[in-house]
Amino acid sequence: MRLTTLLPGRLGFGTAPLGNMFRAIPDDEAQATLQAAWDQGVRYYDTAPFYGAGLAELRLGELLSRQPRDSYVLSTKVGRVVLDETEDPAARELGEKGGLFAHGRPNRMVDDYSADATLRSVEDSLKRLGTDRLDIVWVHDIAQDFHGDQWLHHFETARTGAFRVLSKLRDEGVIGAWGLGVNRTEPIELTLDLDEPRPDGFLLAGRYTLLDHDRALQRLLPTAAGQGVDMVVGGPYSSGVLAGGTHFEYQDAPPEIVERVRRIRELAGRHGISVKAAALQFSLAHPASAAVIPGATRPSRIAEDVAALQEEVPAAFWADLRAGGLVSAAAPLPA
């Protein structure tokens, strides 16, 4: 099934921040943010066991349990199993992203892309979310940023394990669709080259933003568009730096990124638009983009995202962005 057919709109909500990414978020603040998303009409929610060792799923489940199941689309992920035993969240080995969920639940997590672990992960997610089905399941973080030189080993485990299990669940109607949810282009490119199993789409985080899109444009997106495979864009604000934050790639933004954002902000101000509008609308302009899923931890941010998607951005802004070398010559721009 194509994601454009399954998804209810072009704006979804990414719940990674609600797993206590970067800081401990009070439960009432998390619930107010989720309620704001619902009240603003957001009906696609993406989560994962990894986000705070199940914390984001539990928080999301509290909201969705009060809504009719057919009124929203839900995606979560497999590849990590959350255990009952505990560990120090701040000491977890997370490749390039150490300490990302240092304030999450202390439950131990293990990387496992096998068939049995995939089935267990799906079952555990259903319990935490308090729902009877998942619409989309992504195979999570099967890439270099988390697994280094071992990523191809994990990919092969997933190819013969998670990929086949999820294909079977899709064919049986248990889930609506499946694909990869990653922060790198290479795993998706490799998957698109496979004869089987065939995914329905992908969640690509941080690799099709105003600040980072060259690599995705080289091979991934042309191939995906040619095969009719849709993409959900995660991390459209590049970990927050495009939305007024200080993080890029989940770390403190380096000087060259800060300067690039300054130039984009200056250009946006000259045309009387918000950087958020430029960021979201750019990520959605590619024919392969089905939806964008910014995250948030404060209710006010949701209204900003909704407004940004509807904001009228003049063609002159995009022309100046291109002329200033702030966007690739190969990138499709909003009409």
Side-chain angles (χ1 to χ4, degrees), residues 6-46:
L6 182 60
L7 295 174
R10 305 207 78 191
L11 179 66
F13 184 89
T15 65
L18 299 186
N20 284 358
M21 179 187 286
F22 302 132
R23 69 183 179 96
I25 301 159
D27 282 335
D28 58 350
E29 186 178 331
Q31 288 306 314
T33 302
L34 286 166
Q35 188 63 53
W38 185 269
D39 292 344
Q40 289 283 339
V42 176
R43 294 295 182 268
Y44 170 42
Y45 297 86
D46 176 72

Side-chain angles (χ1 to χ4, degrees), residues 244-274:
T246 60
H247 290 103
F248 173 75
E249 277 296 285
Y250 310 103
Q251 306 294 330
D252 290 339
E256 62 271 20
I257 291 296
V258 173
E259 171 60 17
R260 191 176 181 88
V261 173
R262 185 197 65 76
R263 292 179 60 198
I264 293 172
R265 181 166 286 110
E266 182 181 86
L267 189 58
R270 199 183 313 156
H271 287 276
I273 66 163
S274 68

Side-chain angles (χ1 to χ4, degrees), residues 2-3 13 52-53 59 83 93 99 122 127 137 144 168 171 194 198 202 262 267 278 283 289 299 307 313 319:
R2 291 201 62 160
L3 298 184
F13 184 89
R59 286 173 162 172
L83 306 179
E93 175 54 52
V122 167
K127 291 176 182 176
V137 178
Q144 308 94 307
K168 185 172 184 289
D171 295 344
L194 297 176
R198 302 298 299 169
F202 299 99
R262 185 197 65 76
L267 189 58
S283 292
S289 296
V313 179

Side-chain angles (χ1 to χ4, degrees), residues 136-140 163 166 177-181 199-203:
I136 307 170
V137 178
W138 309 113
V139 181
H140 203 193
F163 290 12
L166 295 176
W178 74 274
L180 271 60
D200 302 280
F202 299 99
L203 195 170

